[in-house]
Amino acid sequence: MPKFKMPDKAETPKLLIQSPKGTHDILPDDYALYQSIFEKAEEISSYYGFRPIQTPHFEKTDLFTAAIGESTDIVEKEMYAFKTKGGDRLALRPEGTAPVMRSYIENGMHTLPQPVMLWYKGSFFRHENPQKGRFREFQQFGLEIIGEPKTIAEAIIIQVLTLILKEIGIEDIIVNINSIGDKECRTNYRKELMNYYRKKFNALCGDCKKRFKKNPLRMLDCKKPKCVELKQDVPQLIDYLCNNCKQSFREVLEFLEASDTPYFLDNHLVRGLDYYTRTVFEIFEDTAEKIKGAADEGENEKKTRGVALVAGGRYDGLAKTLGKKDIPAVGGAIGIDRVVQILRDRNIKPQIKKTPKIFFIQLGAAARYKSLSIMEMLRKAGVPIEQSLCKDNLRGQLKLASKLNMPYVLILGQKEALDSSIIVRDMESGVQETVAVEKIIETIKRKIK
Ligand code: HAM
């Protein structure tokens, strides 16, 4: 397939009906990047014992309201919720953890040997203000380990997610991490937080004034400059952790140290979903500002690192919110569009498992018909090709093959079609040989091995 050179936006005709705000088409070249990331993510996850799961793109709205929390931005402002003609209240999934936990319970996966380790991928939907790296339909690759209370689960999740980023070319990463404790720790902390903010109430933004009453922890998540300033001296959640939560956090940090994973203790990290307990984390690309500072000099200011590429945490209480008993679980998800953006900006090429090394040219009607069976023969033999089936011009196709850096070209002309042969051309030397069709797989495999 020829590479796409996209025309400038200014050159494209104005459509009467354009794509909805915050959505984007994934065109062939970018699709290859998405595909290569998903392939790598699936390969690594399967190797570590995760198995695939797919849940519907929409669920009952109540699932998300109960799981994510009524007073979170996702539920309050960003969910595509609608009522069907039959009167059901449904919502396009804004995230994958609640649906996976629903499926785990509904399908009796608690009866399987625990933990159950799952991966999923696909589109998620949030009515957010579109900006760089933020879309209304976006792709995630997620991992969940359900049924495991030990911190080895956090270690595996962070390990696999960081490995995926590294393997696709994002080497310098940093894990921003915090513990938000369990329910009891948070109840104590909430009181302190309210004492702190009570004196500053009038200076808070409108949303935070509401959060103060409904869900004060969410105030730590506010990005409005005024509120960011106000939270500078806020009491640290980590000082309110019970011994068990402290111990579990210590273990997670020990793992990060043992695996040489750079991390930053982010005391303000609470995440925008209510189902988390204990460990929460976000993974960023660590660009210019290397992680000097925080650990060495005792500073604890958060560095600006752009958007999070990955986020997750432990969610031991989620199953109970959905009507089951507590089930320990932990997970995380990669924002694939954000990763693609980085790879595209860096001109990093997709590493698809099999990149074609053969360009297939056919000339004339007889060759065109015959070419379909030859292509099928190549496909069955696991030889990927590039081709432009509808073109008849030899020079044009050779030019295209050379532009695509194809080392070999197969040429099927009228004559070859009649006597069941095919020409194999070495693009570097220009040398051509004619081979019988039944020998073609053997010849090609020998050349491209
Ligand atoms: P989240 O932080 O909402 O967590 O999303 C995870 C990642 O998805 C983010 O770090 C970001 O890279 C990407 N993402 C989120 N919203 C957008 C958007 N509007 N446009 C582009 N990318 C976006 C969750 O969704 C949790 N379910 C993660 C998890 C799994 N926790 C436990 N298990």
Side-chain angles (χ1 to χ4, degrees):
M1 155 99 45
K3 288 269 178 290
F4 269 63
K5 168 156 181 346
M6 295 307 298
D8 288 340
K9 276 263 180 225
E11 287 173 28
T12 55
K14 198 119 190 97
L15 264 178
L16 281 180
I17 304 169
Q18 297 189 319
S19 56
K21 191 173 165 187
T23 64
H24 59 119
D25 300 313
I26 301 176
L27 301 175
D29 287 349
D30 269 355
Y31 196 96
L33 276 173
Y34 278 83
Q35 193 187 357
S36 68
I37 298 167
F38 282 129
E39 270 178 10
K40 187 49 79 184
E42 289 170 29
E43 180 198 316
I44 298 177
S45 309
S46 307
Y47 185 84
Y48 275 82
F50 290 85
R51 301 187 62 211
I53 184 166
Q54 186 172 321
T55 60
H57 279 71
F58 54 85
E59 296 271 355
K60 298 218 169 115
T61 308
D62 287 349
L63 173 72
F64 299 113
T65 314
I68 301 171
E70 225 162 325
S71 53
T72 55
D73 280 357
I74 296 182
V75 169
E76 263 188 349
K77 303 179 188 164
E78 297 166 4
M79 209 151 58
Y80 284 92
F82 54 97
K83 201 167 164 184
T84 64
K85 286 186 180 137
D88 292 335
R89 289 183 182 281
L90 303 177
L92 294 184
R93 57 182 189 183
E95 63 96 49
T97 308
V100 168
M101 183 55 103
R102 177 207 44 74
S103 174
Y104 170 95
I105 300 170
E106 199 170 316
N107 293 294
M109 286 190 239
H110 58 282
T111 59
L112 301 175
Q114 302 295 295
V116 172
M117 297 166 69
L118 300 165
W119 67 255
Y120 54 91
K121 64 175 179 182
S123 281
F124 295 85
F125 308 86
R126 295 182 196 172
H127 191 268
E128 294 197 81
N129 256 344
Q131 46 186 274
K132 195 168 189 240
R134 181 158 298 151
F135 305 100
R136 291 186 172 172
E137 179 182 5
F138 55 96
Q139 308 273 320
Q140 280 189 351
F141 180 88
L143 298 175
E144 313 291 352
I145 299 183
I146 307 183
E148 180 55 70
K150 296 196 205 82
T151 47
I152 181 68
E154 272 97 330
I156 294 174
I157 290 286
I158 296 175
Q159 163 109 340
V160 175
L161 292 169
T162 50
L163 257 178
I164 294 172
L165 291 182
K166 287 184 181 182
E167 289 266 320
I168 57 182
I170 303 179
E171 295 277 346
D172 287 330
I173 54 100
I174 176 141
V175 181
N176 276 19
I177 194 155
N178 194 19
S179 171
I180 57 168
D182 57 21
K183 238 183 179 167
E184 284 77 51
C185 310
R186 277 202 302 277
T187 309
N188 297 334
Y189 177 65
R190 197 173 290 123
K191 281 185 207 140
E192 283 308 310
L193 198 62
M194 290 180 84
N195 287 342
Y196 172 84
Y197 276 117
R198 197 165 282 120
K199 296 164 211 144
K200 305 181 184 336
F201 188 82
N202 289 334
L204 291 170
C205 74
D207 279 342
C208 278
K209 282 184 176 145
K210 284 186 216 144
R211 290 175 183 136
F212 180 85
K213 290 182 191 127
K214 284 203 214 157
N215 194 347
L217 220 64
R218 290 269 75 79
M219 295 160 79
L220 297 178
D221 208 26
C222 185
K223 305 284 182 302
K224 302 236 169 71
K226 222 164 52 174
C227 298
V228 169
E229 209 175 294
L230 284 179
K231 75 179 166 195
Q232 289 315 314
D233 299 319
V234 82
Q236 307 287 314
L237 218 164
I238 210 147
D239 296 331
Y240 294 81
L241 297 186
C242 66
N243 283 339
N244 285 344
C245 287
K246 261 191 203 143
Q247 173 57 22
S248 119
F249 194 39
R250 209 171 289 131
E251 284 173 20
V252 176
L253 298 183
E254 273 167 17
F255 150 73
L256 292 174
E257 272 155 30
S259 61
D260 267 337
T261 308
Y263 70 90
F264 174 73
L265 283 181
D266 184 351
N267 294 312
H268 294 160
L269 182 66
V270 286
R271 311 264 305 115
L273 305 109
D274 277 355
Y275 51 60
Y276 290 115
T277 47
R278 294 192 169 169
T279 318
V280 286
F281 67 88
E282 290 183 340
I283 306 181
F284 293 80
E285 187 183 31
D286 194 24
T287 44
E289 324 156 57
K290 295 282 170 199
I291 14 126
K292 71 171 184 47
D296 311 347
E297 297 158 29
E299 295 173 17
N300 221 7
E301 100 251 22
K302 186 174 179 174
K303 309 259 192 288
T304 322
R305 295 194 177 89
V307 287
L309 302 180
V310 177
R314 180 167 276 286
Y315 51 95
D316 295 347
L318 174 59
K320 198 167 184 178
T321 330
L322 303 183
K324 190 96 188 132
K325 60 178 180 24
D326 276 346
I327 296 174
V330 51
I334 307 181
I336 301 295
D337 309 84
R338 295 181 179 182
V339 170
V340 165
Q341 208 140 19
I342 293 181
L343 300 189
R344 199 196 297 128
D345 290 350
R346 305 258 169 83
N347 210 11
I348 297 180
K349 296 280 175 255
Q351 308 160 351
I352 301 185
K353 269 185 205 146
K354 282 185 177 154
T355 45
K357 293 195 171 59
I358 305 285
F359 193 92
F360 187 31
I361 296 176
Q362 39 60 45
L363 302 160
R368 191 143 44 238
Y369 287 116
K370 190 126 199 196
S371 65
L372 292 179
S373 61
I374 296 181
M375 280 163 65
E376 180 53 13
M377 214 167 87
L378 292 163
R379 189 191 68 79
K380 280 199 175 131
V383 180
I385 56 160
E386 291 264 2
Q387 48 86 20
S388 48
L389 252 192
C390 302
K391 290 217 167 63
D392 257 337
N393 173 313
L394 177 63
R395 261 187 56 196
Q397 293 191 72
L398 280 174
K399 239 165 123 181
L400 185 57
S402 134
K403 216 166 131 193
L404 294 173
N405 289 325
M406 293 287 150
Y408 297 98
V409 167
L410 296 181
I411 305 168
L412 184 71
Q414 298 285 47
K415 180 176 174 299
E416 289 76 27
L418 288 177
D419 56 13
S420 283
S421 64
I422 196 159
I423 297 171
V424 182
R425 180 186 172 98
D426 181 325
M427 289 296 278
E428 204 187 316
S429 63
V431 172
Q432 296 191 166
E433 60 178 303
T434 303
V435 181
V437 163
E438 63 272 17
K439 291 267 179 322
I440 194 64
I441 302 294
E442 184 190 317
T443 312
I444 285 174
K445 286 202 165 165
R446 196 175 56 241
K447 286 186 185 293
I448 61 175
K449 77 172 180 294

